[in-house]
Amino acid sequence: MLTLADQTFSSRLLLGTGKFSSRQALADAVKHSQTAMVTMALKRVDTADQDDDILAPLQECGVNLLPNTSGARTAEEAVFAAQLAREALGTSFLKLEIHPDPRYLMPDPVETLKAAEVLVKQGFHVLPYIHADPVICRRLEEAGCAAVMPLAAPIGSNLGLRTKDFIHIIIEGSNVPVIVDAGIGSPSDAAEAMEMGADAVLVNTAIAVAGDPAAMADAFRMAVIAGRQAYEAGLGGRQLVAEASSPLTSFLDLP
Amino acid sequence: MQITVNNQIHELDDIAITLTQLLNQMNVPEAGTAIARNQNVVPRSQWDESTLENGDQILIIRATAGG
């Protein structure tokens, strides 16, 4: 079971809700993923806009909601967004994300740490989206974050575990759950992150833009379970030379 | 009375109107919604009592799809 801030979750797969072609596609993916927590963003109400309400179907699925601060470019904006999010969704869980640059969406570590320090004091359970930097992850843990969410690759890139070596270091040193976020492109990426000892993964684009999002959600569900089970079972060590798995007796040698 | 809602100017009759009534007028559901008044988040429990005043800057946000 995944534990975040004294709350346990039945799944180690967190699902992002962006980019789905329809409400129904999203609801189907949520069900097939068997996720226990999904992210949501905030937007200004546009009076001319027809309300594309996804909240009701998500609540029907019974999943926990994890609002994000996407759109915030500074700590100050993120703190304000967090307060709005808590009021809108009635949860203290928060995915803190501050990425001022729209091309690569790299998280701003200085602003993220500043915001985390403020938000923890205000009673938020802060899950910061951050670069796979063991030092900033440690600082965020010390600030009281409920988890750290290092990126595998740029958001929505589907590039996979490009930061693998650094995620290893983060997992080794972290006393809070490590949720690998962003860039996971395939179930094998998710399984690999879980085999490495990640506590959870957050997947959005890879499922939302798949040919069959529900089937892909199912594939990710199995991959996360398999990866976790492999980690808990203890993987065998690797080496460059062969080590026979059959007895090398010389029974074929003729006298 | 003039207020702004999400940076758009709204002219209102000079009758006291609450935040709850403003949401109703704009057909915004209460679930998944948050309101800030002059850059301060207004708790849901105060929406029924909080009446708009001339010059108020209101921000209304809703939860939406996102990663």
Side-chain angles (χ1 to χ4, degrees):
Chain A
M1 294 278 259
L2 172 66
T3 303
L4 299 169
D6 294 335
Q7 190 174 332
T8 56
F9 298 86
S10 56
S11 167
R12 293 180 182 273
L13 172 59
L14 281 69
L15 181 67
T17 60
K19 300 183 190 173
F20 284 88
S21 58
S22 68
R23 262 190 286 185
Q24 191 58 47
L26 168 60
D28 290 345
V30 169
K31 282 178 196 132
H32 281 80
S33 69
Q34 292 182 18
T35 183
M37 191 178 230
V38 300
T39 61
M40 290 193 83
L42 303 178
K43 66 165 185 183
R44 285 182 176 206
V45 168
D46 178 357
T47 45
D49 192 18
Q50 281 293 334
D51 188 38
D52 56 337
D53 183 26
I54 62 159
L55 183 58
L58 290 175
Q59 285 174 328
E60 276 166 32
C61 294
V63 288
N64 293 279
L65 302 174
L66 176 61
N68 70 32
T69 60
S70 186
R73 289 155 298 177
T74 63
E76 195 184 2
E77 288 179 0
V79 168
F80 185 47
Q83 292 166 344
L84 288 165
R86 177 155 68 179
E87 198 55 41
L89 293 176
T91 176
S92 293
F93 280 99
L94 181 80
K95 178 180 171 185
L96 173 61
E97 50 179 307
I98 305 176
H99 36 68
D101 163 36
R103 181 166 166 81
Y104 292 105
L105 299 173
M106 287 292 115
D108 182 326
V110 178
E111 295 297 312
T112 301
L113 181 59
K114 267 199 269 182
E117 285 167 344
V118 173
L119 290 168
V120 166
K121 288 195 183 90
Q122 294 183 5
F124 285 90
H125 306 311
V126 182
L127 282 56
Y129 163 67
I130 196 71
H131 210 291
D133 175 347
V135 178
I136 190 70
C137 284
R138 171 57 59 88
R139 294 290 298 268
L140 287 162
E141 178 186 320
E142 287 167 357
C145 289
V148 289
M149 300 213 293
L151 61 86
I155 292 173
S157 68
N158 287 339
L159 286 172
L161 295 178
R162 296 300 173 98
T163 58
K164 187 177 165 182
D165 295 342
F166 302 98
I167 288 176
H168 262 301
I169 300 172
I170 292 166
I171 290 169
E172 187 186 303
S174 185
N175 297 303
V176 291
V178 177
I179 303 170
V180 178
D181 182 13
I184 290 177
S186 65
S188 58
D189 295 335
E192 188 176 10
M194 297 307 296
E195 285 174 2
M196 285 162 57
D199 294 278
V201 295
L202 199 165
V203 181
N204 186 346
T205 302
I207 292 174
V209 306
D212 182 343
M216 189 60 79
D218 203 31
F220 267 98
R221 177 186 64 79
M222 293 187 284
V224 168
I225 291 170
R228 180 67 188 182
Q229 190 168 332
Y231 169 73
E232 288 176 353
L235 292 159
R238 290 181 180 185
Q239 60 185 38
L240 288 174
V241 294
E243 190 176 337
S245 40
S246 300
L248 295 178
T249 49
S250 48
F251 71 96
L252 291 175
D253 289 353
L254 297 174
Chain B
M1 160 165 90
Q2 197 179 67
I3 63 165
T4 64
V5 178
N6 294 351
N7 292 338
Q8 288 188 331
I9 295 169
H10 283 238
E11 292 286 349
L12 300 175
D13 298 332
D14 282 336
I15 308 164
I17 168 178
T18 66
L19 291 176
T20 303
Q21 288 166 330
L22 177 69
L23 288 184
N24 289 341
Q25 280 185 14
M26 294 177 64
N27 285 321
V28 177
E30 290 188 23
T33 298
I35 306 174
R37 176 182 190 169
N38 304 323
Q39 286 76 53
N40 292 308
V41 178
V42 183
R44 193 173 291 273
S45 57
Q46 292 173 19
W47 291 357
D48 268 338
E49 305 141 29
S50 194
T51 52
L52 293 169
E53 286 169 27
N54 191 39
D56 272 349
Q57 294 178 336
I58 304 295
L59 173 69
I60 305 176
I61 65 94
R62 290 209 18 93
T64 189

